[in-house]
Amino acid sequence: AQRVTQPEKLLSVFKGAPVELKCNYSYSGSPELFWYVQYSRQRLQLLLRHISRESIKGFTADLNKGETSFHLKKPFAQEEDSAMYYCALRVSSGSARQLTFGSGTQLTVLP
Amino acid sequence: GAVVSQHPSWVICKSGTSVKIECRSLDFQATTMFWYRQFPKQSLMLMATSNEGSKATYEQGVEKDKFLINHASLTLSTLTVTSAHPEDSSFYICSATLSGQGGYGYTFGSGTRLTVV
């Protein structure tokens, strides 16, 4: 069965410092990976997905199949980046395509 | 953009009663909806996958007779917690996929906080 691991429950950095949120996965098939973000009192929303290889709000994430990782990075953290971040893996199961979430990392960017 | 409306946002009910949670896609047709449960400080755990017009597929360990899911139309799925007990207290979240979209087509509801007393 697939699994997503986010080893850090809490992460604090100072404004302007680089930040990396770790995500490792285990899946026997070809993975599709996503990062979701949940700001305080808001719903979960997609941040980025590995297929598009995009940078959203300064965040990037590279899929490393050798290390089975999909770490989220930003070179200069901002206070508005403070939120809960979830790494997610998509699998195909019949006609449905389900997401498996990691346990989440609460990022706090200090002034 | 795509919006999923989930209602109610919070509910308190007595033990033994049933509670219905609605999940509506407001401006798109959702062929598939997912129901998640989230305990405090824990991740979202998939409970079931619901396809319009067919029976829901439940994850292992989720009681289908307790968590009734109905997906009668392309814009509405409901989760009914039957004979609720305090251990059912949790945060329930639905998400919907846009018809024909790939993985980035997941849109989440704002969640429902259920407290059973």
Side-chain angles (χ1 to χ4, degrees):
Chain A
Q2 66 280 0
R3 186 170 181 171
V4 178
T5 302
Q6 292 179 251
E8 305 141 327
K9 282 189 180 295
L10 303 171
L11 181 62
S12 294
V13 299
F14 285 101
K15 176 183 174 182
V19 62
E20 180 180 67
L21 290 82
K22 291 185 167 52
C23 173
N24 289 89
Y25 67 90
S26 62
Y27 180 50
S28 58
S30 184
E32 293 184 71
L33 286 148
F34 307 83
W35 276 100
Y36 281 83
V37 60
Q38 188 170 29
Y39 300 101
S40 180
R41 299 182 184 281
Q42 295 187 28
R43 66 188 67 197
L44 204 62
Q45 57 186 288
L46 177 67
L47 180 62
L48 54 80
R49 51 195 177 113
H50 92 269
I51 289 177
S52 57
R53 303 182 68 83
E54 57 204 345
S55 173
I56 303 294
K57 299 184 179 182
F59 285 97
T60 58
D62 292 318
L63 177 61
N64 186 322
K65 292 187 178 182
E67 296 182 358
T68 60
S69 68
F70 188 56
H71 303 326
L72 183 68
K73 301 177 183 179
K74 184 169 182 176
F76 308 102
Q78 302 300 314
E79 289 182 69
E80 56 265 29
D81 296 328
S82 296
M84 178 68 91
Y85 291 81
Y86 292 97
C87 182
L89 171 73
R90 186 175 81 158
V91 301
S92 297
S93 175
S95 61
R97 311 194 75 177
Q98 303 160 326
L99 286 174
T100 298
F101 286 87
S103 53
T105 298
Q106 178 69 52
L107 173 65
T108 301
V109 181
L110 304 167
Chain B
V3 176
V4 169
S5 174
Q6 188 172 340
H7 180 81
S9 56
W10 61 270
V11 58
I12 301 174
C13 70
K14 289 185 177 181
S15 185
T17 61
S18 296
V19 173
K20 180 184 284 188
I21 302 170
E22 290 188 349
C23 182
R24 292 181 184 273
S25 56
L26 296 186
D27 49 4
F28 66 99
Q29 294 184 331
T31 51
T32 304
M33 289 189 175
F34 302 93
W35 286 95
Y36 295 87
R37 183 174 181 176
Q38 186 178 31
F39 291 105
K41 299 182 188 282
Q42 295 188 29
S43 186
L44 288 78
M45 299 300 296
L46 181 66
M47 298 175 66
T49 302
S50 159
N51 289 298
E52 184 266 338
S54 62
K55 290 184 178 180
T57 302
Y58 290 80
E59 294 301 297
Q60 193 172 10
V62 178
E63 299 176 58
K64 59 182 67 176
D65 294 331
K66 181 167 192 58
F67 298 99
L68 300 178
I69 291 173
N70 184 282
H71 193 164
S73 77
L74 285 170
T75 59
L76 174 64
S77 177
T78 60
L79 167 67
T80 302
V81 183
T82 63
S83 187
H85 288 96
E87 56 265 29
D88 299 325
S89 298
S90 188
F91 194 60
Y92 294 87
I93 304 171
C94 70
S95 77
T97 56
L98 282 69
S99 179
Q101 293 283 349
Y104 67 92
Y106 297 99
T107 303
F108 287 81
S110 54
T112 298
R113 173 78 57 196
L114 170 63
T115 302
V116 184
V117 296

